[in-house]
Amino acid sequence: MTSTLSKSFVFLLLTGILLIRIETVLAQKSTFAWPEGKKIAISLSFDDARASQATTGIPALNEYNVKGTFYVVPSAVKGQLENWKKAVAAGQEIANHSINHPCTGNFPWSRAKALEDYTQKSMHAELTEANTQIFNLLGVKCDGFAYPCGNTFVGRGINTKSYVPVVADIFATGRTWRNEGPNSPEFCDMAQLTGMEMDGRDFEEILPMIEQAKANGQWLILAGHEMGENGPQTTRISMLRKLIQYAQDPKNGIWLEPVGTVARYVLTTRSGKTPAPEHGSLVRPDEKGNVSLHAQAGVGTGPKIKYMPEWKAFGWFTGEDKVTWELEVPQKGNYEILLEWSVSDEEAGKPFLFEVGSKKITGNVGKSGSWETFREKKIGEINLTPGKHKIVFRAATPFKNGALLDLREVKLVAKK
């Protein structure tokens, strides 16, 4: 009798445990809808702008027309500048990884740039300056950031603070490092996306991560450093080739895209509308005192405004569209304003407005010959005081049909 009761108890206990595990698995499984019926999103990401990424890794990705996300340090970009420009031209995503790569001072090599000595304010200044330097080097506006060493704090003791809010203020996404699991698309915090290490692993070691994420409909962000076959902190090219071939096989249901692309899709799907415009880069004068307000550095807002990367220009389709730049100048100066634009002859002639605070300059969009032909012309002059300025370009009068222009750049040329 006792034996029978014991067996019944064990059976009920095991059944209960099994049911709990089933419920847990079902609770973890996402109902999020990936594009075209895909079951998982994967992003390949790489830190530090290591030379092997520019010389070896990116050409390998280009063979498969695969785009990764590269979190770069400006000083490292300079060592392979032409190759990084080629990476941008090939459509690889460039993101921010700070200027000094600050980590905890427990790493001896980071003692002079220890996070324990940072504040939220000093971190904000460094990350915005990194954005400016990356833009000046590559003409890219960074929307993403990866935390060096995966550390997300500044300060020490009772003065310790998270700098996740700083990252959330500047960037659309922030990726951490050496996490234990993928991201749940319906829940994840874009400022604290998980990144799982792929350095030093064969495809057979990565595949279980993929299968787990696929079973739960998740977003797996893989993170690496060097790109080659051997050595410390190296993502193996042979592994990447197998992974890409596996991901590109339609029967495996994998959506392989950069972090920024997946993030925009997730935000749009979660909210049911297009995410708010990304942050622009803080623009500063060059060594000659001139200012280049490239379209890439601006933020477009409006019902139909569209950035066209193939032309590196914004296109206007309603009178409510506008582009805004943030400019900081160190000293007072007088500038000539040059507009670089294109427009068809049929759409030319609409009035525009260039605003810097309360200062306004108006004119009519002249003919350029065609939408494919860009011209440059002086549209006025302006005096700027030291400090930060908000600059806006928009239509001067409302219109609903047709277009205003395609705007590539506004130059402020310092007058001597």
Side-chain angles (χ1 to χ4, degrees):
M1 183 70 175
T2 303
S3 176
T4 302
L5 287 173
S6 298
K7 290 180 180 179
S8 298
F9 175 76
V10 170
F11 175 77
L12 290 172
L13 180 62
L14 292 175
T15 302
I17 293 172
L18 179 60
L19 288 173
I20 290 172
R21 294 191 64 181
I22 291 172
E23 288 176 0
T24 301
V25 170
L26 290 175
Q28 291 175 344
K29 186 172 179 60
S30 172
T31 58
F32 189 85
W34 292 112
E36 301 176 354
K38 304 293 186 184
K39 298 175 182 176
I40 175 181
I42 297 179
S43 298
L44 305 175
S45 67
F46 304 87
D47 293 1
D48 302 342
R50 306 279 180 103
S52 62
Q53 296 170 12
T55 59
T56 304
I58 291 173
L61 296 185
N62 290 341
E63 290 178 30
Y64 297 91
N65 194 29
V66 166
K67 308 298 185 286
T69 301
F70 292 84
Y71 296 99
V72 304
V73 174
S75 59
V77 169
K78 294 176 183 177
Q80 291 285 339
L81 185 56
E82 292 308 310
N83 281 328
W84 282 110
K85 288 181 178 179
K86 291 177 182 177
V88 172
Q92 300 296 336
E93 182 178 47
I94 305 298
N96 188 316
H97 201 42
S98 80
I99 291 176
N100 297 308
H101 198 283
C103 296
T104 173
N106 289 306
F107 295 117
W109 51 264
S110 189
R111 195 66 53 78
K113 50 191 177 182
L115 287 169
E116 288 84 351
D117 298 327
Y118 272 71
T119 64
Q120 288 178 323
K121 182 177 180 181
S122 63
M123 182 60 74
H124 193 285
E126 173 162 338
L127 299 188
T128 54
E129 176 60 25
N131 262 3
T132 299
Q133 290 189 23
I134 293 167
F135 179 80
N136 289 339
L137 289 168
L138 300 175
V140 171
K141 177 173 55 180
C142 292
D143 290 333
F145 174 74
Y147 298 88
C149 300
N151 299 146
T152 60
F153 73 93
V154 293
R156 60 171 69 231
I158 62 173
N159 296 315
T160 302
K161 295 184 182 299
S162 169
Y163 77 92
V164 171
V166 175
V167 170
D169 180 57
I170 301 172
F171 303 98
T173 62
R175 196 219 70 205
T176 53
W177 162 243
R178 279 187 173 170
N179 299 110
E180 295 183 2
N183 299 279
S184 294
E186 69 276 14
F187 180 80
C188 63
D189 178 359
M190 289 297 168
Q192 300 183 82
L193 296 171
T194 63
M196 299 182 70
E197 186 177 17
M198 60 178 163
D199 287 339
R201 296 184 176 182
D202 294 323
F203 176 65
E204 290 71 23
E205 298 173 86
I206 300 292
L207 185 57
M209 300 184 199
I210 296 174
E211 294 303 315
Q212 176 195 353
K214 185 194 297 186
N216 295 318
Q218 294 172 307
W219 173 17
L220 174 62
I221 302 177
L222 294 169
H225 293 83
E226 299 285 356
M227 299 179 75
E229 288 301 330
N230 302 300
Q233 283 198 322
T234 299
T235 293
R236 296 167 183 163
I237 300 295
S238 56
M239 181 279 290
L240 285 174
R241 291 184 184 279
K242 290 182 180 180
L243 189 157
I244 291 169
Q245 292 166 8
Y246 182 84
Q248 291 183 335
D249 186 337
K251 74 173 183 291
N252 292 319
I254 295 173
W255 190 40
L256 183 61
E257 291 290 345
V259 173
T261 301
V262 178
R264 284 188 290 273
Y265 176 83
V266 169
L267 288 172
T268 301
T269 303
R270 287 200 316 207
S271 66
K273 59 184 180 180
T274 302
E278 67 276 12
H279 296 274
S281 301
L282 179 64
V283 180
R284 293 190 178 97
D286 62 20
E287 64 277 3
K288 296 181 180 179
N290 300 324
V291 176
S292 294
L293 301 173
H294 296 277
Q296 300 103 309
V299 174
T301 54
K304 290 188 177 181
I305 195 163
K306 181 180 180 182
Y307 179 71
M308 302 172 292
E310 66 274 23
W311 299 105
K312 295 184 178 180
F314 272 108
W316 263 257
F317 300 97
T318 77
E320 299 174 29
D321 297 334
K322 65 180 180 180
V323 170
T324 304
W325 294 269
E326 297 291 335
L327 169 66
E328 183 176 48
V329 293
Q331 58 191 19
K332 180 179 178 180
N334 296 313
Y335 300 86
E336 292 185 342
I337 307 171
L338 305 179
L339 181 72
E340 185 178 0
W341 85 101
S342 74
V343 69
S344 68
D345 288 351
E346 296 77 15
E347 297 291 350
K350 293 184 179 69
F352 66 81
L353 183 61
F354 180 83
E355 300 175 286
V356 184
S358 61
K359 300 175 182 178
K360 303 178 187 295
I361 293 174
T362 60
N364 293 321
V365 177
K367 296 179 179 181
S368 72
S370 71
W371 286 113
E372 292 77 27
T373 305
F374 283 82
R375 289 184 56 199
E376 184 177 275
K377 182 180 179 180
K378 178 180 175 180
I379 61 172
E381 298 185 4
I382 198 166
N383 175 267
L384 296 180
T385 56
K388 292 185 178 180
H389 301 271
K390 181 179 180 179
I391 296 178
V392 178
F393 188 95
R394 60 184 177 87
T397 57
F399 69 91
K400 293 185 178 180
N401 298 316
L404 180 66
L405 82 173
D406 286 352
L407 175 62
R408 178 176 285 172
E409 183 180 7
V410 180
K411 296 179 182 177
L412 304 184
V413 180
K415 297 183 68 176
K416 306 302 182 183

